[in-house]
Structure formats: C-alpha cells, structure tokens
Amino acid sequence: MGPAGELRYPSFPSQKTARTLRSRELGEFQCHDKYMLASLNACAGDIGMREWANGGPIGAGSLMQNPEGSEFFKSDGSWNSPYGEFFLAWYSGMLLLHGERICREAESIFRGLEVNLSGKVAGIHWHYRTESHPSELTAGYYNTSIRDGLLPIARLFGRYGFSMCCTCFEMQDAEAQQMNPDSSPESFVKQLSLAARLCDIPLQGENCASSLDDGSFEQVLRMSRFNWNGPGTPTFSFNFVRMDKNLFEYRNWVSFTRFVRQMSDAKFFRPNLGFGDGDMPFLSLSASSTAGVVLA
C-alpha cells in the first residue's frame, strides 16, 4: 500500500512517526516527479486551469511550521479555495487509484482461498483539531474539519472485501495533547470506526506503543466498545503487536491477561494467538458469538 504497509504517501519518513507528537510535522506533498506532474497537468488542462499545474501548492510551508503560519494550511488558507479543492481532490484521488490497483491485484490472487485481506490506514492524528488537518492532507487523506476523507478509503476496501486496520487504539487525547494541543487520536479512531460501520466492513485496531500500561489497556477497551453494537455489526478485532520480553514480567503479564479476560467478557471476544512476520508476534482478539478465552 505504501510506507509501513499503510495506504499513504511518504510525506514524512516512517521513523519520524514516533516523534511527530512533539514536532507537529506538517509533511510534504509528494507530487514533483514527472509522472505526477504529467497527471496534474492533464487534470488541470481538462478544466481549463493550466496555471494550477505547477506542482504542489504555493505557501504550503515547511515541515516544522505552525499551520497558522502557512498560507495554504492556515484556518482561512487556500486549502479551502477552488484551487485547494482541485489540488487535494486530485492528490487524494491518485492515492485511491493506487490503492484500487493493489486491492484488485490482491483480491484476484487470493480469490477462492480462505484468506482475510486487510488494508492499513495510517493513524495520523497530530493536526486533527485544526481546520485543515495538514499532516493528513500531505499523506493523501483529504480529511478536514469540513470533509470526510476516510470514508472513501473505507468504501475502497469494502469493494474488494478488505477489512480496515489502524493503529493508535491505546492512545488518549488527554495524554497526547499535553505534548501537542492539536492532536486527537481518539477523534481520528472514532471517525475511522464510523466509516467502517457505514461501509459494513470489519475493523482491526492495533497499538502503536511497544509497552502498554493499565490506562492504555482501558483505552483499547473503550475504543473496542465504540465499535461493538451487538452480534449483527461487522467484526472488530484488536491485534496486539510489538510483543517483547517485558510483557512476560509478572506485573505486565497480570495486566495483559486481565485485559484479555475483559475483552472476552465485554463482547464475547475469542482471542487467537498468532505470529506476524519476523520476530513480531501479535495477539488477535476477534469478535465471536462464542464466549470464553482461548490462549495458546
């Protein structure tokens, strides 16, 4: 799909994700190679606006700039002008076109096999409380305070029978906003969850931190309840990733097993122990009509 397996542009290096809460990085539009420029030029020509085909938006600012200091991203900036709407629709549309190709190929390869396919969305939440959501826009999500840019992604996955996966399910606004007042991981996850429900597709949550405390486990429970509305709703599951030796220390293991029991008791979840690529085992907690906990 893209960097880190997520459907997005490489608007910022993946290794910077962990520190974006502090830096509030805007990201950079990825539209300057000859193929993107040719596509932009053709689309601008189709509507008789050749002057809109000169690469990325002017005044998009620098990577570390405050959005309100950017002509494009500020609250009343050009992101909400006819030019901005044209550019962002084209830019996000190109990402969706890429995602469509990948989904179509994957669906054709695994057709007829008992394989569950999932597409991943990046949990980019550090400008969610601004008007323009700049870090989401540069990543290719045309998601702002006045436009839902996650619903088209959910529709794309739904057309090919994919479930939708996203991290940040353990993150809390109160903690995130101490470092970055513009951040809102909870709102991002809730919007994504609503898009999955509207499109009737399964949702998979993940944690992005390597170690979770009791508060983080409680947050996952709250977010999972938000996605559970009875047996008739689409499946929700939680993948516990980055399991390491610290998890098996007595206090951490007690917290983890309590969390698994709570997931099972709250929504009749059945845990299945699985392993990801390399040395990154994960635990998948999937909705089931059968009560109880199964640990391997």
Side-chain angles (χ1 to χ4, degrees):
M1 289 290 186
E6 298 166 337
L7 180 61
R8 66 175 174 89
Y9 287 106
S11 52
F12 57 88
S14 297
Q15 64 268 27
K16 289 188 177 181
T17 306
R19 69 173 195 256
T20 46
L21 280 175
R22 298 182 184 275
S23 68
R24 312 182 198 180
E25 187 169 333
L26 301 180
E28 293 182 309
F29 287 110
Q30 304 295 300
C31 56
H32 302 287
D33 66 89
K34 63 181 182 179
Y35 303 105
M36 291 292 278
L37 289 174
S39 172
L40 179 59
N41 183 69
C43 290
D46 287 343
I47 61 171
M49 301 296 290
R50 292 285 184 185
E51 62 272 25
W52 288 356
N54 296 320
I58 297 174
S62 62
L63 281 174
M64 313 305 293
Q65 190 173 354
N66 185 319
E68 292 305 313
S70 160
E71 287 299 316
F72 188 76
F73 292 124
K74 65 183 182 180
S75 298
D76 59 348
S78 54
W79 63 273
N80 197 25
S81 67
Y83 162 72
E85 292 172 359
F86 159 78
F87 175 82
L88 294 171
W90 166 80
Y91 187 71
S92 61
M94 291 293 286
L95 181 68
L96 289 171
L97 183 61
H98 165 71
E100 182 106 28
R101 294 190 186 108
I102 298 296
C103 289
R104 185 170 57 243
E105 288 298 316
E107 192 276 333
S108 66
I109 290 169
F110 293 104
R111 187 179 300 146
L113 302 178
E114 293 186 7
V115 174
N116 295 322
L117 298 175
S118 176
K120 196 167 186 179
V121 176
I124 302 176
H125 52 79
W126 41 95
H127 290 110
Y128 194 91
R129 298 182 71 206
T130 66
E131 294 293 318
S132 62
H133 298 207
S135 49
E136 293 167 65
L137 296 183
T138 56
Y141 304 161
Y142 191 179
N143 193 52
T144 69
S145 61
I146 58 175
R147 188 182 190 278
D148 188 343
L150 302 182
L151 190 57
I153 298 174
R155 287 175 179 150
L156 165 64
F157 291 156
R159 283 199 297 273
Y160 292 94
F162 277 51
S163 59
M164 185 162 59
C165 179
C166 187
T167 61
C168 306
F169 269 68
E170 87 284 12
M171 298 188 68
Q172 303 173 54
D173 281 0
E175 182 178 346
Q177 288 166 10
Q178 290 178 4
M179 297 182 287
N180 179 3
D182 292 333
S183 175
S184 184
E186 293 182 34
S187 297
F188 184 90
V189 168
K190 287 178 179 178
Q191 183 185 347
L192 195 75
S193 301
L194 180 59
R197 290 179 66 173
L198 288 173
C199 295
D200 197 35
I201 62 173
L203 184 66
Q204 298 173 355
E206 283 188 3
N207 53 298
C208 60
S210 58
S211 59
L212 302 186
D213 55 20
D214 289 339
S216 299
F217 286 132
E218 285 296 326
Q219 181 65 12
V220 173
L221 287 166
R222 282 193 290 270
M223 290 294 100
S224 63
R225 291 187 187 109
F226 182 81
N227 289 279
W228 178 254
N229 193 29
T233 56
T235 300
F236 170 77
S237 64
F238 179 76
N239 298 329
F240 186 88
V241 299
R242 299 180 178 88
M243 186 182 291
D244 58 22
K245 63 179 182 181
N246 294 324
L247 177 70
F248 299 98
E249 294 179 2
Y250 178 76
R251 182 175 178 178
N252 296 334
W253 183 248
V254 169
S255 295
F256 178 71
T257 54
R258 183 190 306 120
F259 163 68
V260 172
R261 286 195 298 272
Q262 288 173 319
M263 290 286 279
S264 177
D265 293 341
K267 295 174 297 299
F268 303 109
F269 273 16
R270 183 180 63 195
N272 298 305
L273 190 65
F275 294 91
D277 294 332
D279 57 356
M280 297 271 290
F282 65 92
L283 183 70
S284 179
L285 306 174
S286 303
S288 171
S289 58
T290 305
V293 177
V294 179
L295 291 175

